Amino acid sequence: MDHKNNQLNQKTTYSSTTAMTRKNILYLFCIPALVCLLYYPTLSYDYVYWDDDIYILNNDQIKQSPTLSNILSLFQVTDGPAYKPTMYTLWTFVHYFGGLNAFYYHIVSITFYSINIIAVFFFTRELLRCLYFPFSICASYAAFVIALLFLTHPLHVETVAWVVDLKDLLAGTCYFSAGLFYILYRKKSCIKYYLVSILFFLIGLLSKINVATLPVMLIFLDLMVFNISYKQPKAFLGILPFLGLGSGIMLNSVFFVEPSVASHTVLFKTKFLSSMVLVKDYLELLFFPLPSRLCHGYSNKYIEAMGDPQAIVSVIMLLILVVLSIFYLKKLKIMTIAVFWFLLNLAPTSNIVQIGIMKADRYVYLSSFGWAIFVFFIIFSAAKKISKKRPAINYKLTCNVCFLILALLLSGLSRERMEVWKDDISLWEDGFQKSKAITVLNGLAETYFRHNRVDEAINLYKDKYQATGDIRLYQGLANLLFKVGKEMEGKEVCFEALKLWPDDFGMNFQLGIYYSQKKEFVKAQTFLNTAIKSNSIALGPHVVLAQIHMEKGEIKKAMETYLALIERKPYPDALNNLGVIYMKVGNYKNAISCFTLALQNKQDPSIKLNLEKARQQAGTL
C-alpha cells in the first residue's frame, strides 16, 4: 500500500513539475513575442539625429572590420561616461553586416530588450522564491506579470526606439543577469554562479557606469533576503570583487572626465533639493505616463530654497516612501526591496553628481523595476483582502483582469509615444512643443536646416534669442547664419552677443574662423586668443590658430600652439596635426611619436596612414 502511495506521490510531483516547466516555457515564449508585437513599428523608423549621427553615422570606430585587434582597440579608448566598448563592439558587427541601415540597429535594440525582459523574469522569480509571503503566490506567475508591467511602460519607449540608448538595454540585461546568478550562488553555494555573476557585472560596467550600484543592491539583498551578517570580515569576501570593479570604473570616469563648469557653480544644497524634486517627477511619470507629459528634452530648473512648493511636495513624497518601506519591512519585505531598488538606481541620475541633462525618460529605466514590483503587490494584496471580505469574488480572476487592463493601457500609451520617434522632425517638434529648452530649440533648428527648411530654422532663433537673453541662442543663430552663407548677419549677431558677454568662447571662436577665412589674420588671432583664454583645452581654436601660423610661415609658433594644448589635454587630432608638421620639417622621430600616441586613444585610418608614411620616410634616411 505504501509502495503504491509513493508511486502516486512521485507521479503527482512529476506532473506538477512538468506543468510548471510548461508554464515557464510559455512565459519565455510570450515575452519576446510581446516585445515584438509592441515595438515592431520601430523597425521602419529612421535616425533622429540626437547623438546617433555622432555615435553611429559619423563614428569611424564602428566602421572598421570586426577583427580581434580592432575590437580590442575599442576597449582602450578612455573617454569617461562615453566609454561604452560593449555597445561599440555590437555596433561594429551590425555595421559589418548591415552598414548604416537603421533597420538593423533597431533589430538589435528590440532583441536586447527581449533578453532584458527575460532576465527580469528569471531574476524576479528567484528573488520571490527566497522570500516569505503571508499569502500563497506562484513565483513564476508574479515574475511574469512584473516583467509584463516593466515591458509595457511608456517611459521605456525612449530606451528601445532610440538606437543610441542600446547602452541602457545592455546595462539592464547585465544588471538583472548578475543579480540572478548572485541569488543562485547564495541559494546553492555554487562558485560557477558567482563567477558568472561577476562576469555579467563587468560587462554591464563596460556598457554603462550606472551598473556600479549593483554591489549596494546585493548587500541589501544579503541582509534582507539571506540574513547574512556583515559583522564578521569573512562576510565581505563575497561582495569584495563587485565593490572593487564598481569603484575602479567609477574612479576611471572621475579622473578621465573634465567636470562641467556648472557642477562647480551649483551649491550642494541646490543639487540636493533639485534631486528630490526629480525623484518626485519620476514617480509622477511612472504612475501617470501620459504621452503629453513625456519629452526627450526636459527643461528642469534648479530648486534654490527649501520653501519652494515643489521641494515641500517632494519631501512629503519621499517621507511616504520611507514610511511605506518601514511599514512593509516585516509584513512584506518585497515592498521594502522595491522602494530601495527605485531610490538606489535613481541616485546616479538624480543630479547630486552633476550630469549633462537633468532629466530624461531613460534615466528611470532600471528604477522602474521597483515600480513594477510595487504595483503588482499593491493590486495583488488588495484583491486578496477584498476576497476575504467577499468570498464570492475570485481574487485570481480579479488580479488577472486588473493586470491585463493595466498592461493594455500601458501598451496603448507606449504606441502613442512611439510615433514621436519615427523621424527627427517628429521628435524635435514634439520636444519643442513640450519643453522649450534651449537644447531642444537648437535640435529643432538643426533638423529644419538638415531638411532645407532654413527660413523656419532662422525664425526659431530670431523669435527667441533677444527675448530670452541666453548666449546659447545667439551662438545657434550665428552658427546657422554662417552655415547658410549669411555671413554679415552672422557677424552682427556675434558682435551683439560680445557686447553682453565679451569673453564668450563660442562667439570669439566663430569670429576667429570668419576672419581667418577672410585672411584677416590679425583680427582672427585676437578673437582666437580670447576664445583660448575662455577655454584653454578647447581643440577648435588651437587648430585654427595653428593653421594661421602655418599659412604665415610661422612653423615654430604652430608647433608651440599644439604643444601647449597637448600639455593640457592630449587630443588625438592635435597629436596627428603636430605629427604632420614634424613630417614637413623632416623630424620623423617626433612625428612617429605623435602618431603613435594619437593611435592609443583613437583608431583612425588617416592617423595610421600618416604613421606608415613617417616610418617609410624615416627608413629612407
Side-chain angles (χ1 to χ4, degrees):
M1 187 72 178
D2 291 339
H3 178 67
K4 287 183 177 179
N5 285 337
N6 287 336
Q7 283 185 328
L8 183 62
N9 287 335
Q10 286 175 2
K11 286 180 180 178
T12 306
T13 305
Y14 175 76
S15 61
S16 175
T17 305
T18 305
M20 287 301 295
T21 304
R22 285 175 180 171
K23 273 189 177 181
N24 288 331
I25 291 171
L26 181 62
Y27 289 147
L28 292 178
F29 174 78
C30 284
I31 286 170
L34 289 170
V35 170
C36 291
L37 186 64
L38 180 61
Y39 280 98
Y40 81 86
T42 62
L43 296 176
S44 62
Y45 291 178
D46 202 356
Y47 296 108
V48 293
Y49 289 85
W50 183 31
D51 288 349
D52 41 20
D53 53 333
I54 299 169
Y55 287 112
I56 298 176
L57 295 174
N58 301 321
N59 187 358
D60 291 331
Q61 286 181 312
I62 70 165
K63 295 176 183 178
Q64 55 190 351
S65 300
T67 60
L68 181 60
S69 60
N70 287 338
I71 295 300
L72 289 175
S73 70
L74 297 174
F75 287 80
Q76 294 169 4
V77 179
T78 52
D79 51 356
Y83 180 63
K84 300 171 180 71
T86 49
M87 182 175 72
Y88 295 142
T89 300
L90 266 176
W91 282 343
T92 300
F93 283 98
V94 175
H95 181 270
Y96 183 74
F97 292 105
L100 294 174
N101 190 334
F103 172 79
Y104 297 103
Y105 295 87
H106 283 298
I107 282 181
V108 170
S109 293
I110 290 174
T111 301
F112 271 92
Y113 192 52
S114 301
I115 296 169
N116 199 343
I117 304 300
I118 290 170
V120 168
F121 168 75
F122 279 116
F123 172 78
T124 311
R125 189 189 68 177
E126 293 305 318
L127 177 62
L128 296 177
R129 285 176 175 177
C130 297
L131 293 168
Y132 165 77
F133 294 98
F135 42 72
S136 61
I137 185 169
C138 174
S140 294
Y141 166 77
F144 176 74
V145 175
I146 289 167
L148 181 65
L149 296 177
F150 185 83
L151 184 161
T152 53
H153 203 284
L155 278 178
H156 295 177
V157 170
E158 179 176 300
T159 300
V160 184
W162 184 35
V163 292
V164 171
D165 207 29
L166 178 63
K167 55 186 179 287
D168 272 305
L169 296 174
L170 290 170
T173 301
C174 292
Y175 198 104
F176 287 107
S177 299
L180 165 66
F181 282 100
Y182 187 82
I183 290 173
L184 291 173
Y185 157 69
R186 285 300 188 193
K187 286 171 69 176
K188 301 181 180 181
S189 299
C190 178
I191 195 68
K192 289 181 181 178
Y193 292 134
Y194 179 70
L195 294 174
V196 172
S197 178
I198 292 175
L199 178 62
F200 272 115
F201 179 56
L202 178 59
I203 297 170
L205 286 171
L206 296 173
S207 303
K208 194 172 183 181
I209 194 172
N210 295 35
V211 178
T213 60
L214 180 66
V216 181
M217 193 68 228
L218 296 182
I219 291 172
F220 190 74
L221 292 179
D222 279 344
L223 296 171
M224 293 287 293
V225 180
F226 300 106
N227 299 316
I228 293 172
S229 174
Y230 278 91
K231 291 179 181 179
Q232 296 180 352
K234 286 183 179 179
F236 280 98
L237 292 177
I239 207 71
L240 271 179
F242 292 94
L243 290 170
L245 286 170
S247 302
I249 294 292
M250 287 181 74
L251 287 171
N252 173 68
S253 178
V254 169
F255 285 111
F256 283 98
V257 183
E258 292 295 333
S260 65
V261 176
S263 66
H264 296 293
T265 57
V266 180
L267 296 173
F268 178 79
K269 174 192 169 185
T270 303
K271 290 181 185 178
F272 180 72
L273 291 174
S274 302
S275 68
M276 287 197 298
V277 172
L278 281 173
V279 172
K280 183 263 298 179
D281 290 348
Y282 284 130
L283 279 170
E284 289 177 1
L285 289 173
L286 281 167
F287 283 98
F288 306 102
L290 300 175
S292 59
R293 294 164 57 91
L294 302 183
C295 177
H296 80 284
Y298 296 93
S299 55
N300 272 46
K301 294 181 180 179
Y302 282 106
I303 306 299
E304 302 285 348
M306 187 65 197
D308 190 289
Q310 287 195 72
I312 294 169
V313 173
S314 302
V315 170
I316 293 170
M317 288 186 73
L318 282 172
L319 286 174
I320 291 170
L321 275 179
V322 172
V323 170
L324 278 173
S325 62
I326 295 170
F327 174 76
Y328 282 113
L329 188 58
K330 290 184 178 179
K331 294 185 177 182
L332 204 57
K333 279 187 178 181
I334 190 66
M335 298 292 270
T336 305
I337 293 170
V339 172
F340 185 80
W341 182 290
F342 171 76
L343 294 175
L344 174 67
N345 286 293
L346 206 56
T349 52
S350 64
N351 239 60
I352 287 288
V353 177
Q354 195 78 10
I355 51 178
I357 299 173
M358 280 187 71
K359 183 178 171 186
D361 293 353
R362 62 189 180 278
Y363 292 166
V364 80
Y365 182 70
L366 268 177
S367 297
S368 61
F369 174 67
W371 167 87
I373 292 175
F374 191 86
V375 168
F376 173 84
F377 280 99
I378 286 290
I379 294 173
F380 193 86
S381 301
K384 273 280 189 181
K385 287 179 181 178
I386 293 169
S387 66
K388 280 184 179 180
K389 292 180 180 179
R390 298 184 180 181
I393 297 175
N394 187 323
Y395 83 90
K396 288 184 179 180
L397 179 62
T398 305
C399 284
N400 288 336
V401 170
C402 287
F403 292 135
L404 181 62
I405 291 171
L406 182 57
L408 288 172
L409 181 63
L410 291 172
S411 298
L413 293 171
S414 293
R415 273 294 182 88
E416 189 177 342
R417 177 63 187 160
M418 222 176 287
E419 281 297 305
V420 171
W421 288 87
K422 63 185 178 183
D423 55 45
D424 51 347
I425 290 179
S426 298
L427 180 70
W428 291 104
E429 284 184 341
D430 175 80
F432 185 64
Q433 287 172 7
K434 296 171 182 175
S435 171
K436 308 298 182 185
I438 304 299
T439 51
V440 179
L441 189 150
N442 283 333
L444 181 57
E446 287 172 14
T447 301
Y448 283 153
F449 173 74
R450 206 164 35 247
H451 289 269
N452 296 318
R453 294 164 63 173
V454 176
D455 291 338
E456 289 178 74
I458 292 172
N459 290 334
L460 264 179
Y461 283 119
K462 285 187 174 179
D463 290 343
K464 296 286 182 182
Y465 85 103
Q466 287 180 325
T468 57
D470 193 303
I471 184 61
R472 291 173 294 175
L473 293 180
Y474 283 86
Q475 291 168 350
L477 178 58
N479 185 43
L480 183 61
L481 289 168
F482 279 115
K483 275 183 181 178
V484 298
K486 298 184 178 182
E487 294 179 341
M488 294 306 296
E489 289 184 49
K491 191 172 71 167
E492 286 175 14
V493 172
C494 287
F495 280 115
E496 190 178 339
L498 289 177
K499 289 178 184 177
L500 301 170
W501 303 279
D503 296 325
D504 178 68
F505 169 80
M507 295 291 97
N508 281 289
F509 181 36
Q510 190 72 64
L511 287 170
I513 294 171
Y514 168 76
Y515 283 116
S516 69
Q517 290 171 346
K518 297 293 181 184
K519 306 298 181 184
E520 297 182 39
F521 294 140
V522 176
K523 289 182 179 180
Q525 285 177 265
T526 302
F527 287 112
L528 290 170
N529 284 322
T530 305
I532 290 170
K533 284 180 183 178
S534 298
N535 188 350
S536 60
I537 61 168
L539 176 63
H542 285 87
V543 171
V544 179
L545 189 58
Q547 287 172 349
I548 290 172
H549 287 313
M550 291 297 291
E551 285 195 48
K552 292 169 69 177
E554 300 169 347
I555 295 175
K556 188 177 179 181
K557 285 186 178 181
M559 289 181 181
E560 288 172 354
T561 301
Y562 279 123
L563 286 168
L565 174 62
I566 291 164
E567 189 177 340
R568 299 186 194 103
K569 192 164 184 178
Y571 287 103
D573 290 336
L575 285 162
N576 180 56
N577 292 349
L578 180 58
V580 171
I581 296 173
Y582 278 132
M583 283 182 67
K584 285 183 179 180
V585 298
N587 191 339
Y588 298 111
K589 182 180 177 181
N590 282 356
I592 291 169
S593 178
C594 286
F595 296 138
T596 304
L597 285 171
L599 285 170
Q600 287 178 5
N601 287 317
K602 185 178 182 181
Q603 294 297 311
D604 189 294
S606 62
I607 300 176
K608 287 181 181 179
L609 185 61
N610 286 337
L611 179 59
E612 289 173 11
K613 286 180 180 178
R615 283 174 175 166
Q616 287 173 2
Q617 292 291 333
T620 59
L621 294 177

